[in-house]
């Protein structure tokens, strides 16, 4: 059931098109997943997954790694635990495409939980550069951190901060910023029935005011020449074209870009079904607001979204690498325990700066700033822990590695075929007999890294985290 006031508003705005819009809410929502290119070499994860997938898949037109699925429960499959894909609403895949993050850049995902867009941006960055992924709500920030780990992201700094605090810490620092802002959620009314119970005109106004503050902070953190993508999952013009209009009036250094030209000189393919924004729905709205994009559920196979691509004018000059100052970390040679582990178990050791938090070791990107004064959940790739003069690798390290980066691999299969135990047995925490060289083995499911096992006396001890086990 849609709120009556919401229906009246949309009917007045859409006119003759309202019937098709309303009919779309009677249909089933579209489900999709996005394959994670970080699991393996270029194209390797995608092609292998398409060959092995137990589901019927159909491409999402605007995301080369996105696929619709009609049935099944991919969230319960071992591939999900291995970070082979992220279950993501199809329209939600669009904003990161226009952000266009590239390897080596400094990128901020300001409102990042639960992590789907962060994972999408990380795949574009190919593990190079600095990805700051932030979420203001502590519980949601924890979920974000877990998904960063599951997707095998090496170069992400996960923070639990307010936009205001980050703006103080990172003035004119980022090359690209994604602001997927909290909103009234009108675009999710088909997907989430409770969204209708929370909807009200007053909430739309509250969200619009909150978005103004978030966008001000984001504009302050964007370097001259940098790009920002603003997106919501609502239809309300006050939160879409209106938020962009108010930002441009408060910040004359910001300009709106043609999103089609950000992707291709030929423009956006008509088959995508993306529609231009509606400046006529904003009193005094400039024609440039028509460069925003709207994703309507009756025009494409996805929920309601809106996005805008913005640029900060000025010469493309980067800020200092470390705005906070202070010691950033040390060399990997500073930890002989890890060096011994790497020599015995890794064919190639990941590169970066070593950070110690108590007995925990992290590997941060070379461009990592000082973290002093920030609420940090994950300062890069968690390597593992120091325990009585020895090093024990983390689950995050296992998920970030590919089979070619380790010396010993224990393959299991998702379908149970062959003479190895099924992946389900490993995910349940079971030990099993294994012939081979003693030491740490990377357990892989159909070639995708899944976790650690340690072989001794012909038995592989299970090191899959107890909190993740599927009993």
């Amino acid at each position: 059931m849609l709120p009556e006031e919401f229906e009246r508003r949309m009917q007045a705005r859409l006119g003759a098109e309202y019937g098709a819009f309303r009919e779309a809410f009677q249909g089933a929502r579209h489900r999709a997943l996005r394959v994670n290119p970080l699991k393996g070499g270029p194209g390797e994860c995608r092609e292998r997954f398409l060959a092995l997938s137990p589901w019927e898949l159909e491409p999402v037109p605007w995301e080369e790694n996105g696929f619709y699925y009609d049935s099944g429960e991919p969230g319960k499959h071992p591939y999900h635990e291995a970070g082979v894909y992220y279950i993501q609403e199809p329209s939600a895949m669009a904003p990161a495409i226009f952000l266009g993050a590239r390897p080596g850049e400094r990128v901020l995902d300001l409102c990042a939980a639960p992590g789907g867009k962060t994972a999408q941006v990380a795949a574009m960055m190919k593990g190079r550069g600095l990805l700051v992924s932030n979420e203001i709500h502590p519980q949601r920030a924890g979920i974000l951190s877990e998904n960063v780990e599951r997707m095998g992201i090496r170069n992400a700094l996960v923070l639990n901060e307010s936009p205001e605090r980050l703006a103080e810490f990172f003035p004119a620092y980022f090359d690209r910023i994604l602001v997927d802002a909290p909103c009234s959620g009108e675009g999710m009314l088909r997907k989430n029935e409770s969204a209708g119970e929370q909807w009200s005109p007053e909430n739309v106004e509250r969200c619009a005011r909150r978005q103004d503050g978030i966008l001000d902070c984001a504009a302050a953190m964007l370097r001259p020449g940098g790009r920002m993508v603003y997106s919501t999952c609502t239809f309300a013009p006050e939160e879409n074209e209106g938020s962009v209009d108010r930002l441009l009036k408060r910040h004359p250094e910001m300009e709106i870009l043609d999103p089609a030209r950000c992707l291709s000189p030929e423009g956006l393919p008509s088959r995508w079904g993306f529609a231009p924004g509606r400046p006529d729905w904003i009193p005094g709205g400039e024609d440039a607001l028509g460069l925003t994009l709207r994703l309507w559920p009756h025009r494409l196979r996805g929920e309601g979204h809106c996005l805008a691509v913005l640029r900060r004018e000025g010469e493309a000059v980067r800020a200092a690498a470390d705005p906070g100052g202070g010691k950033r970390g040390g060399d990997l040679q500073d930890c002989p325990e890890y060096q011994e582990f790497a020599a015995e178990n890794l064919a190639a050791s990941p590169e970066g700066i070593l950070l110690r938090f108590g007995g925990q070791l992290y590997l941060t990107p070379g461009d990592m700033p000082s973290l002093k004064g920030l609420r940090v959940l994950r300062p890069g790739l968690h390597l593992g822990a120091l325990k009585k003069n020895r090093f024990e690798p983390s689950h995050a390290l296992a998920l970030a590695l590919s089979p070619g980066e380790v010396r010993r691999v224990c393959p299991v299969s998702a379908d149970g075929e062959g003479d190895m135990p099924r992946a389900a047995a490993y995910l349940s925490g079971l030990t099993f007999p294994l012939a081979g060289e003693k030491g740490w083995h990377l357990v892989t499911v159909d070639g995708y890294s899944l976790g650690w096992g340690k072989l001794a006396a012909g038995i592989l001890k299970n090191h899959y985290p107890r909190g993740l086990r599927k009993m």
Side-chain angles (χ1 to χ4, degrees):
M1 295 293 293
L2 298 177
E4 291 183 6
E5 177 61 21
F6 168 76
E7 292 208 62
R8 283 194 292 268
R9 289 186 173 206
M10 295 308 301
Q11 188 167 14
R13 290 167 182 155
L14 291 174
E17 196 175 353
Y18 179 74
F21 171 81
R22 185 65 176 81
E23 185 178 354
F25 283 86
Q26 308 304 317
R29 63 185 179 90
H30 301 287
R31 301 184 296 173
L33 55 82
R34 185 180 45 76
V35 181
N36 179 14
L38 297 178
K39 302 292 287 192
E44 181 182 339
C45 180
R46 183 179 185 274
E47 297 309 315
R48 186 189 307 146
F49 175 72
L50 292 179
L52 297 174
S53 172
W55 309 287
E56 292 292 329
L57 302 174
E58 184 178 347
V60 173
W62 47 89
E63 167 54 77
E64 63 176 347
N65 295 306
F67 297 91
Y68 297 101
Y69 65 93
D70 291 330
S71 61
E73 296 181 290
K76 295 182 179 181
H77 196 278
Y79 291 168
H80 183 268
E81 305 309 310
V84 176
Y85 50 76
Y86 191 100
I87 298 173
Q88 190 173 19
E89 197 279 313
S91 295
M93 300 179 189
I97 297 170
F98 293 94
L99 187 68
R102 295 178 293 193
E105 292 184 322
R106 302 172 191 160
V107 182
L108 170 64
D109 187 355
L110 185 54
C111 313
K117 295 179 180 66
T118 278
Q120 195 174 4
V121 171
M124 296 175 179
M125 298 178 72
K126 300 179 181 179
R128 301 195 298 275
L130 174 64
L131 173 57
V132 177
S133 188
N134 180 73
E135 174 57 43
I136 190 172
H137 299 287
Q139 184 176 5
R140 286 172 55 81
I143 296 171
L144 168 64
S145 183
E146 292 170 359
N147 279 321
V148 165
E149 175 176 287
R150 183 174 65 85
M151 302 305 285
I153 301 172
R154 301 186 182 193
N155 61 324
L157 167 61
V158 181
L159 302 178
N160 172 214
E161 284 290 351
S162 68
E164 291 78 11
R165 179 72 181 97
L166 291 183
E168 295 175 3
F169 200 90
F170 294 107
Y173 184 77
F174 293 101
D175 300 302
R176 300 178 194 258
I177 299 177
L178 177 60
V179 183
D180 186 46
C183 66
S184 58
E186 294 177 354
M188 296 293 108
L189 289 173
R190 176 171 60 174
K191 178 182 176 182
N192 182 4
E193 294 183 2
S194 64
E197 300 172 0
Q198 301 169 6
W199 185 89
S200 69
E202 294 76 19
N203 189 41
V204 170
E205 295 176 4
R206 283 194 297 270
C207 289
R209 290 194 298 269
R210 181 168 53 197
Q211 290 153 6
D212 287 347
I214 293 172
L215 283 171
D216 285 342
C217 294
M221 290 185 279
L222 189 66
R223 68 158 174 83
R227 180 186 296 183
M228 177 165 68
V229 169
Y230 170 70
S231 64
T232 72
C233 58
T234 190
F235 303 114
E238 300 93 327
E239 303 176 65
N240 294 323
E241 295 90 348
S243 287
V244 174
D245 184 55
R246 296 189 299 274
L247 171 72
L248 296 177
K249 290 175 179 175
R250 293 191 308 272
H251 295 273
E253 76 280 9
M254 299 294 294
E255 62 175 342
I256 188 168
L257 300 181
D258 182 348
R261 303 307 172 194
C262 293
L263 296 185
S264 167
E266 289 76 29
L268 300 182
S270 59
R271 63 187 177 85
W272 287 12
F274 291 5
R278 299 295 300 266
D280 55 312
W281 290 349
I282 300 298
E286 300 289 338
D287 290 343
L289 295 176
L291 293 175
T292 58
L293 288 178
R294 282 182 169 269
L295 282 65
W296 294 100
H298 61 291
R299 293 192 177 190
L300 50 76
R301 294 173 61 188
E303 304 305 322
H305 270 66
C306 186
L307 66 89
V309 185
L310 301 141
R311 179 183 179 273
R312 181 173 177 177
E313 297 176 340
E315 186 179 354
V317 177
R318 270 189 150 198
D322 191 4
K327 180 176 173 58
R328 292 188 292 160
D331 190 89
L332 287 173
Q333 303 295 332
D334 296 340
C335 184
E337 296 90 346
Y338 172 75
Q339 286 298 106
E340 181 180 357
F341 165 83
E344 293 179 356
N345 299 283
L346 304 183
S349 182
E351 298 180 356
I353 298 173
L354 182 69
L355 281 183
R356 297 193 190 196
F357 282 81
Q360 303 299 315
L361 299 180
Y362 290 84
L363 198 64
T364 72
D367 206 19
M368 180 72 78
S370 168
L371 306 180
K372 184 177 180 181
L374 294 174
R375 290 194 294 268
V376 180
L377 275 69
R378 188 174 294 271
L381 175 61
H382 185 204
L383 294 175
L386 294 171
K387 296 184 176 181
K388 296 180 181 179
N389 297 321
R390 65 181 176 86
F391 176 82
E392 184 168 301
S394 71
H395 185 56
L397 178 59
L399 292 174
L401 293 171
S402 64
E405 293 176 297
V406 299
R407 298 193 183 279
R408 293 175 290 272
V409 174
C410 172
V412 299
S413 60
D415 58 12
E417 295 180 357
D419 58 359
M420 295 301 298
R422 296 182 60 184
Y426 175 76
L427 295 174
S428 297
L430 300 180
T431 61
F432 43 83
L434 180 69
E437 184 182 359
K438 71 175 182 179
W440 292 97
H441 289 241
L442 183 66
V443 179
T444 62
V445 53
D446 298 332
Y448 301 114
S449 57
L450 189 57
W452 291 112
K454 192 171 186 181
L455 182 61
I459 298 295
L460 188 75
K461 183 179 179 181
N462 195 315
H463 280 261
Y464 194 72
R466 293 185 181 276
L468 300 178
R469 293 179 180 179
K470 312 295 182 183
M471 302 304 294

